[in-house]
Amino acid sequence: MIIILKPKANEEKVRDLIKRLERMELSINYSEGATTTVIGLIGDTSAIDMEILRAHEIVADVKRITEPYKAANRKFHPDDTIIEVAGHKIGQGYFNVFAGPCSVESEEQIIAVAEAVKKSGAGFLRGGAFKPRTSPYSFQGLKEDGLKLLLKAKKATGMPIITEIMSELHLALFEDVDLIQVGARNMQNFTLLKELGRTRKPIFLKRGLSSTMEEFFMSAEYIMAEGNRNVILCERGIRTFEPSIRNNLDISAIPIVKRFSHLPIVIDPSHAAGTAWMVEPLSKAAIAAGADGLMIEVHNNPKEALSDGAQSLDFDEFSHVMEIIKERIAFEGKVMG
Ligand code: PEP
Ligand code: MN
């Protein structure tokens, strides 16, 4: 981190600031140039509050030259991490498809979808039981009953399940859930992230609607700093000025994750697009850019779905997209994990 001082900064105040920084066990590199004076900080600067430093009367600006995340950072873990969940591998050439309805609606529905997505080659069954909805008047999910139905579908098909947690108070209910999803709206629910960090459950962390990549990595860091290293990242579209699509799929998130982190990155084209017809081209783009998996919403009868019907594929559409996915991942030298 470097601190750029204001021209003609009071020398006594500069000495005070340096003393304060040295007390934080940082090595100081003071460099006085013809026009600019900078203080270089060497050591662990992750706990430094940049805004407080910036507000100091002798400071012109503060810049980080290393990323504030450590556990999620590729610099400290050069090899890709492979996350293992219920016998499946994700990352470093192992690709996975997480498919199922937006919401669990009934036993018949979730079992029919589980059988169909399994037949087409998906590795995981997804389905929301606790649903974060924009309107409090929309269907909120079957909650605990929804979890029970997912577990029935798991038993009937042998598929591992992934479902969203909305509160740390529900953690005990998720014991038999294979992969716990943190939804976009909870990406910065730090209490929830810390609690999940204290478990050893694999976590599927979705990027917030308006989060920067650094904020995304910092949320992964919250989980990992508590000791849980089993984190899968998921880009699901971000808010932009374009009104014709639900969100904008940020394909550049994939190379950014690959460069700065060692964690696997999954793409959710369904929530990005908001329409079923766009799932296929976005899936192809995600695979070409290096994604480690896809999360795709599939429904037995999308027109009647209780949530996200417009973006859900029916069984035939999903089977077609899966054929393309299998072809494309083979082309990239990857295998289903
Ligand atoms: C979901 O996966 O159904 C969901 C609500 O996703 P997101 O948090 O990305 O909106
Ligand atoms: Mn959904």
Side-chain angles (χ1 to χ4, degrees):
M1 182 180 283
I2 57 170
I3 301 171
I4 301 153
L5 298 182
K6 286 182 181 160
K8 299 193 184 69
N10 177 295
E11 280 178 24
E12 200 180 324
K13 288 191 173 143
V14 174
R15 273 197 300 276
D16 277 355
L17 178 61
I18 290 176
K19 265 193 215 140
R20 255 179 51 201
L21 294 165
E22 277 171 342
R23 266 185 256 125
M24 297 173 82
E25 294 184 0
L26 293 163
S27 306
I28 307 296
N29 186 342
Y30 181 79
S31 153
E32 194 169 352
T35 53
T36 315
T37 300
V38 300
I39 301 175
L41 304 181
I42 303 147
D44 184 4
T45 57
S46 53
I48 288 189
D49 186 331
M50 290 174 69
E51 292 316 311
I52 289 185
L53 267 183
R54 247 184 219 123
H56 197 292
E57 59 191 299
I58 59 166
V59 172
D61 202 2
V62 183
K63 289 193 189 334
R64 263 193 201 285
I65 50 171
T66 54
E67 301 83 23
Y69 44 95
K70 297 264 178 287
N73 197 323
R74 190 179 280 281
K75 267 189 199 138
F76 303 100
H77 191 297
D79 296 331
D80 283 355
T81 284
I82 299 174
I83 306 286
E84 298 205 26
V85 190
H88 291 261
K89 289 182 176 168
I90 304 145
Q92 207 188 56
Y94 293 106
F95 193 91
N96 264 275
V97 177
F98 308 81
C102 179
S103 302
V104 179
E105 298 173 8
S106 67
E107 181 166 343
E108 302 67 48
Q109 175 239 19
I110 195 65
I111 294 200
V113 178
E115 282 169 350
V117 297
K118 183 179 180 186
K119 191 161 155 238
S120 296
F124 284 78
L125 173 67
R126 63 146 284 149
F130 293 91
K131 293 302 304 175
R133 305 301 302 280
T134 303
S135 166
Y137 309 116
S138 301
F139 176 59
Q140 304 285 306
L142 297 180
K143 306 192 175 76
E144 217 170 325
D145 291 340
L147 291 180
K148 286 185 191 144
L149 296 180
L150 273 172
L151 291 171
K152 274 197 179 168
K154 173 178 169 173
K155 204 164 168 202
T157 60
M159 285 188 101
I161 53 172
I162 163 168
T163 191
E164 177 166 352
I165 191 163
M166 283 177 59
S167 164
E168 63 282 7
L169 302 176
H170 298 153
L171 203 45
L173 301 173
F174 282 66
E175 203 171 324
D176 297 323
V177 171
D178 300 283
L179 183 53
I180 300 182
Q181 174 170 321
V182 176
R185 290 155 190 84
N186 267 317
M187 188 204 85
Q188 288 192 318
N189 180 340
F190 300 121
T191 311
L192 175 62
L193 298 178
K194 279 188 187 177
E195 280 303 322
L196 293 172
R198 292 190 192 114
T199 74
R200 291 298 172 267
K201 281 278 190 194
I203 309 297
F204 189 92
L205 177 66
K206 293 186 111 179
R207 180 181 177 189
L209 279 67
S210 327
S211 298
T212 64
M213 289 304 291
E214 186 167 295
E215 287 164 344
F216 192 20
F217 292 139
M218 289 307 281
S219 291
E221 194 77 13
Y222 260 94
I223 300 168
M224 298 174 87
E226 296 293 332
N228 186 355
R229 302 285 160 138
N230 301 311
V231 180
I232 299 167
L233 301 172
C234 175
E235 154 63 32
R236 44 76 74 209
I238 51 172
R239 279 260 166 86
T240 71
F241 48 81
E242 176 51 55
S244 66
I245 36 176
R246 185 174 183 188
N247 292 289
N248 230 307
L249 179 61
D250 182 12
I251 283 287
S252 57
I254 304 166
I256 292 173
V257 169
K258 294 289 169 199
R259 174 172 283 243
F260 292 102
S261 182
H262 51 91
L263 298 173
I265 170 81
V266 170
I267 292 293
D268 172 350
S270 306
H271 288 89
T275 46
W277 64 268
M278 213 186 271
V279 169
E280 178 185 322
L282 294 185
S283 299
K284 289 178 186 165
I287 295 169
D292 298 300
L294 287 162
M295 168 170 269
I296 298 178
E297 285 191 340
V298 181
H299 198 280
N300 49 322
N301 184 4
K303 286 191 189 69
E304 301 288 324
L306 295 182
S307 61
D308 287 349
Q311 68 198 31
S312 299
L313 304 186
D314 67 21
F315 296 164
D316 288 343
E317 289 165 337
F318 180 66
S319 151
H320 168 73
V321 170
M322 278 302 291
E323 288 314 308
I324 292 169
I325 292 171
K326 287 177 205 160
E327 250 172 50
R328 303 278 164 132
I329 66 162
F331 179 78
E332 297 293 329
K334 293 185 175 173
V335 292
M336 287 291 180

